[in-house]
Amino acid sequence: MNDTEQAPAPETTEITPLRWQCCHCGGGGLDSYGDTCRHCDGLGFC
């Protein structure tokens, strides 16, 4: 390969993001009073 040729792009695969279940609401998004979990903002994961 000389200086003017470009190297082929490496093959890549998509990586799915990891989401951890909220340890305060158990993944439900609500606290014990039925309000939005303040730790995960009601999403259920961190």
Side-chain angles (χ1 to χ4, degrees):
M1 180 184 324
N2 59 28
D3 292 336
T4 58
E5 291 183 44
Q6 291 186 356
E11 291 185 29
T12 58
T13 58
E14 290 191 27
I15 300 173
T16 56
L18 296 177
R19 294 183 178 171
W20 302 98
Q21 184 178 10
C22 179
C23 60
H24 295 275
C25 69
L30 301 175
D31 64 9
S32 60
Y33 298 109
D35 295 327
T36 302
C37 178
R38 64 186 177 118
H39 298 279
C40 66
D41 294 326
L43 297 175
F45 57 87
C46 301

